[in-house]
Amino acid sequence: MALRGLGRRISIGKRCFSSASEVEKRPRDGKQINLFSAINQALHIALETDSRAYVFGEDVGFGGVFRCTTGLADRFGRNRVFNTPLCEQGIAGFAIGLAAMGNRAIAEIQFADYIYPAFDQVVIPRSPQQAKGLLLACIRDPNPVVFFEPKWLYRLAVEEVPERDYMLPLSQAEVIRQGSDITLVGWGAQLSVLERACDEAAKDGISCELIDLRTLIPWDKETVEASVRKTGRLLVSHEAPVTGGFGAEISASIAERCFLRHGLQLEAPVARICGLDTPFPLVYEPFYMPTKNKVLDAIKATVNY
Amino acid sequence: MSIRHQTKANKEGQGEKPHLDFFLFLPHLLDLFSLLHSTMGLWSVRSRLAHHLGQKMAYLGALQRRSWPLVSFLQLWNPRPSELVGGLSSNPINRCSDRRFASIKAETSAAAMDDRCRYQVMDFPGGKVMFIPEMRFLAESPGERISCYRVLDDDGQTISGSSFQEVSKEIALKMYSDMVTLQIMDTIFYEAQRQGRISFYLTSIGEEAINVASAAALTINDIVFPQYREPGVLLWRGFTLQEFANQCFGNKSDYGKGRQMPIHYGSNRLNYFTVSSPIATQIPHAVGAAYSLKMDKKHACAVTYFGDGGTSEGDFHAALNFAAVMEVPIIFFCRNNGWAISTPTTEQFRSDGAVIRGQAYGLRSIRVDGNDALAVYSAVHAAREMAIRESRPILVEALTYRVGHHSTSDDSTKYRPVDEIEHWRTARDPVSRYRKWIERNGWLCDDAESELRSNVRKELLHAIQVAEKMEKPPLAELFTDVYDQVPSNLHEQERLLRETIKQHNGDYPPEVPV
C-alpha cells in the first residue's frame, strides 16, 4: 500500500479539524468513484483551499504510479506539486523541514514497505549467558535478524558464561520460574523488574510463572499458551509504549487461543504493564516506566478479578 | 552554469576558437593557478597552461558576471578516433593521453592540441557527452587534497595577499567576547555535570571560531538547523546564560519543558531549530525549510551544521541531492573535527573530507581553516550571498579539532594520545589566535580581557544557582505537545498514572509537581 505523510502535525484519531468544512456522518450526494479518484479529489481540494500546501514524492508530477496525483501539477504548478529524487528518508526529512516553516507538507511514499524496515526476526536477550548464545545463533541464521541489546544491562547484568562456542535456539521462549496462579511474559531488561514483582507477589501467596520470550518475531506461542492453560491468567510487560506494543500482539493471540479451550479458559483479561504513548521523557522518566509496583498491582488485580 | 558543448573542429585545422566546456567546480579566493591546480586527478596543470586557459575564459564573456572563476574540465584534449593508432610516444594522440596522466609535463603547443583533440558528441538522457575510445577511469582521488582557505597565520597575523571580508571593530569584539563566553560556559557546565548537578553535557572546545564566526556572518532571518556542538550560534544571536542553564536543568522555564537531556537547546525567537540527538536528521529538514524560504521569496537562507561523522549518514546524501535538484538557498556547514566519538576520519570515509563531495551532487563547496575566525566569517559571508542571490546550495567544510571529549560520557584519552589533545588545546587554540589579531588592531587590552572573563563566570554561576533551585515543569507536560490536543488514550494513561502516584508516592521524584 502507499503511504501518505501529512504535516504540520501528525493527524491521528478524533481531533479537531483545521479546515472549514464540517465532518459529515455520511455524505448524501456524489458519484460512484474508486479509491484513487477519491484521493485525487481530496488532494485537489487540499491544494485549492490552502496555498501553503505542497504535494511531493516519487513520480507525483505526471500523476503518480497509482494515479492519485493526476492533474495536480498542471493545475497548481511544478513549484507546489513536484517529483523528488528516489529517497524515502530524503522525502520524509524534507517534509519535516517544510512543515516546520508553517506549510502543509503532503509527502507520498510510493510503497509503505519502503518506509518500514523488513523485520524477519527480532531477538532480545535478558542476560550475558543468553546474549552470547542467542547472538551466535542469530549470526549463523540464514535470515536477516534484528538483535536488540538492552543498554541498561550492558554493565549491570553479570552472570557465569561458558567460554566455549554455543548457541541458543531462536523462536523458543524459556520458562524461568514455574508457577501456578498467573503467567508473566517479558523480555530483555524488563525481566528483572518482573522477577522482583514475582518475589513480592510470593509473599502474598501468589505463585507466578515467569517466561522470557527471547525472540519476538516469530515468537513462541506454544510455550506461552501452555503456561496460560495451566494458570488461566496472563500479564505482559515491556518498556515500549502500550499502544501497538508487542504486548498487544501477545494479548490478542493468547485471547484467540485460550479464550475457551478444552474446558480451560482465561480467568481474567490479559494485563499489559507497559510504557506510555509519549516520546521518552527525561524529567518524567520515573513516571513513564513500567515499575515493579505497577506490575505487582496488576498481578493482584488479575488474580482477584 | 550548464555544461557547454565543445564544437567540432573546422576544416584545415583552422578551427574556430574552441568553446571550453565548463564544469562548475568550487569557488576559490585564490588565483587561477591554484584553482586549476586543484582540479580532479586527471589534470595537473602548469602556469603556462593556466595562462592559456585564463585567456580562453576571458574570451567567454558570459563568465564575467560570475564572481567565481570557472575551470575547464575534461574536454580540452581528446584525440580524434582516426588517430588512435600506433605506439605510445610518437603518435600525437598519445601525447594527449600521456599528458592526461603526466603530472608535470606541460603541453608544447596549445593550438595543436585543440586541433588533434576534438571528438564527436553523443546524445543521452542528461545531456550531450564527448566520447573517447580509450577506457579511462577517473582516479579515486585528486592528485592533491583540496586546498584550505585561511587568512590568519598561527600567530594571528593576516597572511599577505589574503583576501577576506572586512569586519567592524564592534562585530570583531563581539565575536571575541562570545568565543570567550562559550569557553567559560563549557568549562563551568562540564564541571556542573561532574558534580552531579546536571545529567549530561558536551563542549565545543576548539570549535569556538566555527561557532561564533559563522553565526556572525549570518542574519537573524537565516534559520539554523544545528547538530549539537553549535551553542555558540545561539549565544551570538542572544540566548542568555540563564536560558542555557534552564534547559540544562530542565526546569519550568526550559522552553523544552524538561523533556530533553541537557544541551538540546532550541529557540523560535532566535530562529534556531531545537537540537535532536540522532545524527544528521536535521540536514534534510534544513532543505525543506530552505525550499519554503525560496517559495516565500525571503531574503534569507537555511544553514545546517553537522560533523564529519554526520556526512556518513544517508540523510546527508539525501539532503545534498535534494538541495541541488530543487535549487534551494542553503549552507551545509561541516565541522570536520577529526573525530566521531572514537572514530577518526580515516575510519569514517575515504574521500578527501566532505568538501570533495559537493561536486558529486552538483554543489559548490569550499574548505576553510575552522580555527581561523576571519576565514570562517569570510567564507560563510560569501556562501550566504551566493546561496540567496542564486538560490543554490553551498557546502562549507571547516577543518578543526575536537579538543574536548565527545561528551561527559566519554574519555577520549582512551583512543587518542594526550599530547595530541594538548597540542590542539594550546598551540592551535582559535580563541587566542584571534585575540592576537584583535590586539594587533589595538582593540583589546588585558584589563578588558580579565574583566570579561570574571563577569561571565559570575553571571554563569548565578544563572546555574537560579536554574537549579527553580522547580521542574508539572507532570501534565509529559502528555502535552505529543499532539496539538491531548487525545483520549493519553488522558486515560494520565488518569491511571495519577492513581498509581497516590498509591506509591515514594517511587517518584519530589521536585516534579504533580
Side-chain angles (χ1 to χ4, degrees), chain A residues 80-131:
Chain A
R80 290 184 65 198
V81 180
F82 50 91
N83 292 343
T84 62
L86 209 171
C87 181
E88 280 70 24
Q89 67 190 105
I91 293 169
F94 181 89
I96 291 168
L98 193 59
M101 299 293 277
N103 304 294
R104 180 78 56 183
I106 305 169
E108 174 172 295
I109 302 296
Q110 206 167 72
F111 293 93
D113 318 82
Y114 299 158
I115 202 84
Y116 298 114
F119 284 164
D120 276 336
Q121 297 188 81
V122 177
V123 176
I124 178 164
R126 72 172 183 275
S127 72
Q129 190 255 355
Q130 292 289 309

Coordinates of all heavy atoms in Angstrom, one line a residue, chain A residues 80-131:
Chain A
R80 N 4.5 23.6 -6.6 CA 3.7 23.0 -5.5 C 3.5 21.5 -5.6 O 3.2 20.9 -4.6 CB 2.4 23.8 -5.4 CG 2.5 25.2 -4.9 CD 1.2 25.9 -4.8 NE 0.4 25.3 -3.7 CZ -0.9 25.4 -3.6 NH1 -1.6 26.1 -4.4 NH2 -1.5 24.8 -2.6
V81 N 3.6 21.0 -6.8 CA 3.5 19.6 -7.0 C 4.7 19.1 -7.8 O 4.8 19.4 -8.9 CB 2.2 19.2 -7.7 CG1 2.0 17.7 -7.9 CG2 1.0 19.8 -7.0
F82 N 5.6 18.4 -7.1 CA 6.8 18.1 -7.8 C 7.4 16.7 -7.4 O 7.1 16.2 -6.4 CB 7.9 19.2 -7.5 CG 8.1 19.5 -6.1 CD1 9.0 18.9 -5.3 CD2 7.3 20.5 -5.5 CE1 9.2 19.2 -4.0 CE2 7.5 20.8 -4.2 CZ 8.4 20.2 -3.4
N83 N 8.2 16.2 -8.3 CA 8.9 15.0 -8.1 C 10.1 15.2 -7.2 O 10.7 16.3 -7.2 CB 9.5 14.4 -9.4 CG 8.4 13.9 -10.4 OD1 7.3 13.7 -10.0 ND2 8.7 13.8 -11.6
T84 N 10.4 14.2 -6.4 CA 11.6 14.2 -5.6 C 12.6 13.2 -6.1 O 12.1 12.2 -6.8 CB 11.3 13.9 -4.1 OG1 10.8 12.5 -4.1 CG2 10.3 14.9 -3.5
P85 N 13.8 13.2 -5.8 CA 14.7 12.1 -6.1 C 14.3 10.9 -5.3 O 13.4 10.9 -4.4 CB 16.1 12.6 -5.5 CG 16.0 14.1 -5.5 CD 14.6 14.4 -5.2
L86 N 14.8 9.7 -5.7 CA 14.3 8.5 -5.2 C 14.9 8.2 -3.8 O 16.0 7.5 -3.7 CB 14.7 7.4 -6.2 CG 13.8 6.1 -6.3 CD1 14.2 5.3 -7.4 CD2 13.8 5.3 -5.0
C87 N 14.3 8.7 -2.8 CA 14.9 8.6 -1.5 C 13.9 8.8 -0.4 O 13.5 10.0 -0.2 CB 16.1 9.6 -1.4 SG 17.0 9.6 0.1
E88 N 13.4 7.8 0.3 CA 12.3 7.9 1.2 C 12.8 8.8 2.4 O 12.0 9.6 3.0 CB 11.8 6.6 1.7 CG 10.8 5.9 0.8 CD 11.5 5.4 -0.5 OE1 12.7 5.2 -0.5 OE2 10.8 5.3 -1.5
Q89 N 14.0 8.6 2.9 CA 14.5 9.3 4.0 C 14.6 10.8 3.7 O 14.4 11.7 4.5 CB 15.8 8.8 4.6 CG 17.0 8.9 3.7 CD 18.2 8.1 4.3 OE1 18.5 7.1 3.8 NE2 18.7 8.6 5.4
G90 N 14.9 11.1 2.4 CA 15.0 12.4 1.9 C 13.6 13.1 1.9 O 13.4 14.2 2.3
I91 N 12.7 12.3 1.4 CA 11.3 12.8 1.3 C 10.8 13.1 2.7 O 10.2 14.2 2.9 CB 10.4 11.7 0.6 CG1 10.8 11.5 -0.8 CG2 8.9 12.1 0.8 CD1 10.1 10.4 -1.5
A92 N 11.0 12.2 3.6 CA 10.5 12.4 5.0 C 11.2 13.6 5.7 O 10.5 14.5 6.3 CB 10.7 11.1 5.8
G93 N 12.5 13.7 5.5 CA 13.2 14.8 6.1 C 12.9 16.1 5.6 O 12.6 17.1 6.3
F94 N 12.7 16.2 4.2 CA 12.4 17.4 3.5 C 11.0 17.8 4.0 O 10.7 19.0 4.3 CB 12.4 17.1 2.0 CG 12.0 18.3 1.2 CD1 13.0 19.2 0.7 CD2 10.7 18.5 0.8 CE1 12.6 20.2 -0.1 CE2 10.3 19.5 0.0 CZ 11.3 20.4 -0.5
A95 N 10.1 16.9 4.1 CA 8.7 17.2 4.6 C 8.7 17.8 5.9 O 7.9 18.8 6.2 CB 7.9 15.9 4.5
I96 N 9.5 17.3 6.8 CA 9.5 17.8 8.2 C 10.0 19.3 8.2 O 9.4 20.1 8.9 CB 10.4 16.9 9.1 CG1 9.8 15.6 9.3 CG2 10.7 17.6 10.4 CD1 10.7 14.5 9.9
G97 N 11.1 19.5 7.4 CA 11.6 20.9 7.4 C 10.6 21.9 6.8 O 10.4 23.0 7.3
L98 N 9.9 21.4 5.7 CA 8.9 22.2 5.1 C 7.7 22.5 6.1 O 7.3 23.7 6.2 CB 8.4 21.5 3.8 CG 7.5 22.2 2.8 CD1 8.3 23.4 2.3 CD2 7.1 21.3 1.7
A99 N 7.3 21.5 6.8 CA 6.2 21.6 7.7 C 6.6 22.5 8.9 O 5.8 23.3 9.4 CB 5.8 20.3 8.2
A100 N 7.9 22.5 9.3 CA 8.3 23.3 10.4 C 8.2 24.8 10.1 O 8.2 25.6 11.0 CB 9.8 22.9 10.8
M101 N 8.2 25.1 8.8 CA 8.1 26.5 8.4 C 6.7 27.0 8.3 O 6.4 28.0 7.7 CB 8.9 26.7 7.1 CG 10.4 26.4 7.2 SD 11.2 27.5 8.3 CE 11.5 28.9 7.2
G102 N 5.7 26.1 8.7 CA 4.3 26.5 8.7 C 3.6 26.1 7.4 O 2.5 26.6 7.1
N103 N 4.1 25.2 6.6 CA 3.5 24.8 5.4 C 2.8 23.4 5.6 O 3.0 22.8 6.6 CB 4.5 24.6 4.3 CG 5.2 25.9 4.0 OD1 4.7 26.9 3.5 ND2 6.5 25.8 4.3
R104 N 1.9 23.0 4.7 CA 1.2 21.7 4.8 C 2.0 20.8 3.8 O 1.8 20.9 2.6 CB -0.3 21.8 4.4 CG -1.0 20.5 4.5 CD -1.4 20.1 5.8 NE -2.2 21.2 6.5 CZ -2.6 21.0 7.8 NH1 -2.3 20.0 8.5 NH2 -3.3 22.0 8.4
A105 N 2.8 19.9 4.4 CA 3.6 19.1 3.5 C 2.9 17.7 3.3 O 2.7 17.0 4.3 CB 5.0 18.9 4.2
I106 N 2.6 17.4 2.1 CA 1.9 16.1 1.8 C 2.9 15.3 1.1 O 3.1 15.4 -0.1 CB 0.6 16.3 1.0 CG1 -0.3 17.3 1.8 CG2 -0.1 15.0 0.8 CD1 -1.5 17.8 1.0
A107 N 3.6 14.4 1.8 CA 4.6 13.6 1.2 C 4.1 12.2 0.8 O 3.5 11.5 1.6 CB 5.8 13.4 2.2
E108 N 4.3 11.8 -0.4 CA 3.9 10.5 -0.8 C 5.0 9.5 -0.8 O 6.1 9.7 -1.4 CB 3.3 10.5 -2.3 CG 2.9 9.1 -2.8 CD 2.2 9.1 -4.1 OE1 1.0 9.6 -4.1 OE2 2.7 8.6 -5.1
I109 N 4.8 8.4 0.0 CA 5.8 7.3 0.0 C 5.1 6.3 -0.9 O 4.1 5.8 -0.6 CB 6.0 6.8 1.4 CG1 6.6 7.9 2.3 CG2 7.0 5.6 1.4 CD1 7.9 8.4 1.9
Q110 N 5.8 6.0 -2.0 CA 5.2 5.1 -3.0 C 4.7 3.8 -2.5 O 3.6 3.3 -2.8 CB 6.2 5.0 -4.1 CG 5.5 4.7 -5.5 CD 6.5 4.9 -6.6 OE1 7.4 4.1 -6.7 NE2 6.4 6.0 -7.3
F111 N 5.5 3.2 -1.7 CA 5.1 1.9 -1.1 C 5.5 1.9 0.3 O 6.6 2.1 0.7 CB 5.9 0.7 -1.8 CG 5.5 0.5 -3.2 CD1 6.2 1.1 -4.3 CD2 4.4 -0.3 -3.6 CE1 5.9 0.9 -5.6 CE2 4.1 -0.5 -4.9 CZ 4.8 0.1 -5.9
A112 N 4.5 1.7 1.2 CA 4.8 1.7 2.6 C 5.9 0.8 3.0 O 6.7 1.1 3.9 CB 3.5 1.4 3.4
D113 N 6.0 -0.3 2.3 CA 7.1 -1.2 2.6 C 8.5 -0.6 2.5 O 9.4 -1.1 3.2 CB 7.0 -2.3 1.5 CG 5.6 -2.8 1.2 OD1 5.0 -2.1 0.4 OD2 5.1 -3.7 1.8
Y114 N 8.6 0.5 1.8 CA 9.9 1.1 1.7 C 10.2 1.9 2.9 O 11.4 2.3 3.2 CB 10.0 2.0 0.5 CG 9.9 1.3 -0.8 CD1 9.5 2.0 -2.0 CD2 10.1 -0.1 -0.9 CE1 9.3 1.4 -3.2 CE2 9.9 -0.7 -2.2 CZ 9.5 0.0 -3.3 OH 9.4 -0.6 -4.5
I115 N 9.2 2.3 3.7 CA 9.5 3.1 4.9 C 9.7 2.2 6.1 O 10.3 2.7 7.1 CB 8.3 4.1 5.1 CG1 8.8 5.3 5.9 CG2 7.1 3.5 5.8 CD1 9.5 6.3 5.1
Y116 N 9.2 1.0 6.1 CA 9.4 0.2 7.3 C 10.5 -0.8 7.0 O 10.7 -1.3 6.0 CB 8.1 -0.7 7.6 CG 6.9 0.1 7.9 CD1 5.8 0.2 7.0 CD2 6.9 0.9 9.1 CE1 4.7 0.9 7.3 CE2 5.8 1.6 9.4 CZ 4.7 1.7 8.5 OH 3.6 2.4 8.8
P117 N 11.4 -1.0 8.1 CA 12.5 -1.9 7.9 C 11.9 -3.3 7.8 O 10.8 -3.6 8.3 CB 13.3 -1.8 9.1 CG 12.4 -1.1 10.1 CD 11.4 -0.4 9.4
A118 N 12.5 -4.2 7.0 CA 11.9 -5.5 6.9 C 12.4 -6.4 8.0 O 13.5 -6.9 8.0 CB 12.4 -6.1 5.6
F119 N 11.6 -6.5 9.1 CA 11.9 -7.3 10.2 C 11.5 -8.8 9.8 O 10.3 -9.1 9.7 CB 11.0 -7.0 11.4 CG 11.5 -5.7 12.1 CD1 10.7 -5.1 13.0 CD2 12.8 -5.2 11.9 CE1 11.1 -4.0 13.7 CE2 13.2 -4.1 12.6 CZ 12.3 -3.5 13.5
D120 N 12.5 -9.6 9.7 CA 12.1 -11.0 9.6 C 12.2 -11.7 11.0 O 11.4 -12.6 11.3 CB 13.1 -11.8 8.7 CG 12.6 -11.6 7.2 OD1 11.4 -11.4 7.0 OD2 13.5 -11.7 6.3
Q121 N 13.2 -11.3 11.7 CA 13.3 -11.8 13.1 C 13.8 -10.7 14.0 O 14.6 -9.9 13.6 CB 14.3 -13.0 13.1 CG 13.9 -14.1 12.2 CD 14.9 -15.3 12.4 OE1 14.7 -16.1 13.3 NE2 15.8 -15.5 11.5
V122 N 13.2 -10.8 15.2 CA 13.7 -9.8 16.2 C 14.0 -10.6 17.5 O 13.2 -11.4 18.0 CB 12.6 -8.8 16.5 CG1 13.0 -7.9 17.7 CG2 12.2 -8.0 15.3
V123 N 15.2 -10.5 18.0 CA 15.7 -11.3 19.1 C 16.2 -10.3 20.2 O 16.8 -9.3 19.9 CB 16.8 -12.2 18.7 CG1 17.3 -13.0 19.9 CG2 16.3 -13.2 17.6
I124 N 15.9 -10.7 21.5 CA 16.4 -9.8 22.6 C 16.8 -10.7 23.8 O 16.0 -11.4 24.3 CB 15.4 -8.8 22.9 CG1 15.8 -7.9 24.1 CG2 14.0 -9.4 23.2 CD1 15.0 -6.6 24.2
P125 N 18.0 -10.6 24.3 CA 18.5 -11.4 25.4 C 18.2 -10.7 26.7 O 18.2 -9.5 26.8 CB 20.0 -11.5 25.1 CG 20.3 -10.1 24.5 CD 19.1 -9.7 23.7
R126 N 18.1 -11.5 27.8 CA 17.9 -10.9 29.1 C 19.2 -10.9 30.0 O 19.2 -10.2 31.0 CB 16.9 -11.8 29.9 CG 17.4 -13.1 30.4 CD 16.4 -13.8 31.3 NE 16.9 -15.1 31.8 CZ 16.8 -16.3 31.1 NH1 16.2 -16.3 29.9 NH2 17.3 -17.4 31.6
S127 N 20.2 -11.6 29.6 CA 21.4 -11.7 30.4 C 22.6 -12.1 29.6 O 22.5 -12.4 28.4 CB 21.2 -12.9 31.4 OG 21.3 -14.1 30.7
P128 N 23.8 -12.0 30.1 CA 25.0 -12.3 29.4 C 25.1 -13.7 28.8 O 25.4 -13.8 27.6 CB 26.2 -12.1 30.4 CG 25.6 -11.2 31.4 CD 24.1 -11.5 31.5
Q129 N 24.7 -14.7 29.5 CA 24.8 -16.0 29.0 C 23.8 -16.2 27.9 O 24.1 -16.9 26.9 CB 24.5 -17.0 30.2 CG 24.8 -18.4 29.9 CD 23.5 -19.2 29.6 OE1 22.4 -18.7 29.8 NE2 23.7 -20.5 29.2
Q130 N 22.7 -15.6 28.0 CA 21.7 -15.6 26.9 C 22.2 -14.9 25.7 O 22.1 -15.3 24.6 CB 20.4 -15.0 27.4 CG 19.6 -15.8 28.5 CD 19.1 -17.1 27.9 OE1 18.4 -17.1 26.9 NE2 19.4 -18.2 28.6
A131 N 22.8 -13.7 26.0 CA 23.2 -12.9 24.9 C 24.2 -13.6 24.0 O 24.1 -13.5 22.8 CB 23.8 -11.6 25.4

